[in-house]
Structures are given as C-alpha cells and as structure tokens.
Amino acid sequence: MTDLECKVTYYSASVSRILGYDSKELIGTNLQSIVHPEDLDEAKRNFILI
C-alpha cells in the first residue's frame, strides 16, 4: 500500500518474499525507486504512478 505521494505505507510478507525486500527497508520509500528505469513508463501506465 502507498499513500497519495506513492510512499510505501504497508508491505505484506508475501510481497517481501516475491521481491526480496524486507518490509522495513521500503516503508516510507517512494514506490518508483524500486521500479527498474526501463520499466517505469509501463509501471506508471499500469499503476498510475505520478
């Protein structure tokens, strides 16, 4: 889950296992920072990232 500024506010254990990040590493981090630069445009279209 993210807030309106795309900062991670909640990160499930399942997502942690899939992406390999500990939830404490990403809480408060902007979601765009974990998207590969080559995939950012598509992620913005799919997830409406600003």
Side-chain angles (χ1 to χ4, degrees):
M1 293 177 70
T2 65
D3 63 12
L4 294 175
E5 296 175 349
C6 292
K7 290 183 182 176
V8 177
T9 58
Y10 173 78
Y11 205 70
S12 73
S14 297
V15 173
S16 293
R17 284 191 302 275
I18 291 168
L19 297 181
Y21 288 99
D22 181 84
S23 62
K24 293 175 186 162
E25 290 179 86
L26 295 179
I27 299 296
T29 301
N30 190 295
L31 185 59
Q32 294 180 50
S33 69
I34 66 167
V35 176
H36 190 279
E38 292 177 8
D39 299 324
L40 191 54
D41 286 337
E42 185 173 350
K44 286 179 179 179
R45 285 191 300 273
N46 290 326
F47 298 106
I48 311 173
L49 296 176
I50 299 171

